[in-house]
Amino acid sequence: MKRILLKLSGEALAGEKHTGFDEATVTVVAKQVKQLVDAGTEVGIVIGGGNFWRGRTSETIDRTKADQIGMLATVMNCIYVSEIFRSVGMKTAVLTPFECGSMTKLFSKDRANKYFAHSMVVFFAGGTGHPYFSTDTATVLRAVEIEADEILLAKAIDGVYDSDPKTNPNAKKYDEISIQEVIDKKLAVVDLTASIMCMENKMPMYVFGLNEENSIVKALNGEINGTRVTV
């Protein structure tokens, strides 16, 4: 039995619109995850909030409040994506680190494990529940807590590069790189807090482009055209 934590970029789920949801994109993701679940893999999911909110670009709003808006954006994303997952035949649950009325359940490791035992896909929404922590950090924290075997990092970009490929056409992609090198070279795979947590807890990551065909299934099988981040 394998347990993975899949991190989905909010922007990637917005497709070419770059904001809100693109249902066709999310449905493709759902069908891939169903293949994993049907094969016996336990899947936890964290989703970023960038398709709704990029709070750090605003100098008007207090950082704590901006981060709280971001946390709520991830809750909306998880509720939406979990419903698309249900529409293709999966059972889901959304857990948050704070009360959201009857919309979600409070996160605990025991509750997550109970849901995994019933072959449910578990969404971890709301980040860590605290400001100043990103969804990258929430991803690694939940992966460590639920004792995942690895993190699959599905992004709008197809791996780890030595510089930003959007601005540098000669940027070089790594097939494999250690988390220590990521930290030393300040490569923006995940933020520094998340990188150090990965290193300290020996949590490996695969980084790959969500938009490539069957990318999630291929990533789990080690057939990715992305980057393996070793520990």
Side-chain angles (χ1 to χ4, degrees):
M1 177 70 71
K2 193 163 195 172
R3 179 177 291 183
I4 62 161
L5 199 293
L6 174 63
K7 164 74 189 301
L8 297 169
S9 145
E11 295 99 320
L13 293 179
E16 292 179 3
K17 295 186 295 185
H18 304 297
T19 186
F21 301 115
D22 182 65
E23 189 161 321
T25 300
V26 180
T27 302
V28 168
V29 170
K31 288 176 178 176
Q32 288 189 66
V33 173
K34 189 172 191 301
Q35 288 183 57
L36 305 185
V37 173
D38 288 348
T41 302
E42 295 173 344
V43 181
I45 294 181
V46 171
I47 307 175
N51 53 325
F52 283 120
W53 181 250
R54 280 262 171 235
R56 293 176 201 184
T57 58
S58 171
E59 296 175 4
T60 316
I61 299 174
D62 177 75
R63 169 68 187 271
T64 296
K65 299 300 182 189
D67 284 0
Q68 288 170 345
I69 295 169
M71 290 177 217
L72 294 175
T74 71
V75 175
M76 291 193 295
N77 278 348
C78 285
I79 291 172
Y80 176 87
V81 176
S82 74
E83 283 303 299
I84 302 295
F85 275 37
R86 290 183 184 199
S87 77
V88 301
M90 285 178 279
K91 294 177 289 183
T92 65
V94 181
L95 300 181
T96 46
F98 44 77
E99 292 278 7
C100 282
S102 61
M103 290 180 282
T104 68
K105 297 279 192 184
L106 267 181
F107 168 79
S108 76
K109 181 178 179 177
D110 288 345
R111 181 169 273 154
N113 281 333
K114 182 178 81 173
Y115 291 151
F116 284 132
H118 288 89
S119 301
M120 297 172 78
V121 176
V122 184
F123 288 82
F124 301 108
T128 66
H130 300 284
Y132 295 91
F133 293 99
S134 68
T135 48
D136 288 343
T137 303
T139 297
V140 181
L141 176 64
R142 295 292 180 243
V144 171
E145 283 183 295
I146 66 170
E147 299 176 70
D149 295 301
E150 63 196 1
I151 294 169
L152 300 186
L153 209 60
K155 301 177 76 121
I157 189 168
D158 66 347
V160 181
Y161 287 78
D162 61 357
S163 58
D164 188 348
K166 289 177 185 170
T167 55
N168 178 14
N170 298 315
K172 172 177 160 285
K173 185 164 81 172
Y174 296 97
D175 293 326
E176 185 169 300
I177 189 169
S178 71
I179 193 66
Q180 184 66 63
E181 283 181 273
V182 168
I183 293 167
D184 292 344
K185 294 177 179 177
K186 295 184 170 64
L187 302 174
V189 184
V190 289
D191 63 37
L192 186 59
T193 307
S195 296
I196 290 169
M197 280 192 73
C198 273
M199 184 176 68
E200 288 180 339
N201 294 281
K202 296 186 167 37
M203 179 61 65
M205 286 188 290
Y206 280 121
V207 185
F208 60 97
L210 179 63
N211 295 327
E212 293 185 23
E213 189 177 353
N214 226 24
S215 60
I216 298 170
V217 174
K218 286 179 179 174
L220 186 68
N221 295 330
E223 303 166 12
I224 56 167
N225 182 30
T227 305
R228 181 182 176 83
V229 182
T230 61
V231 290

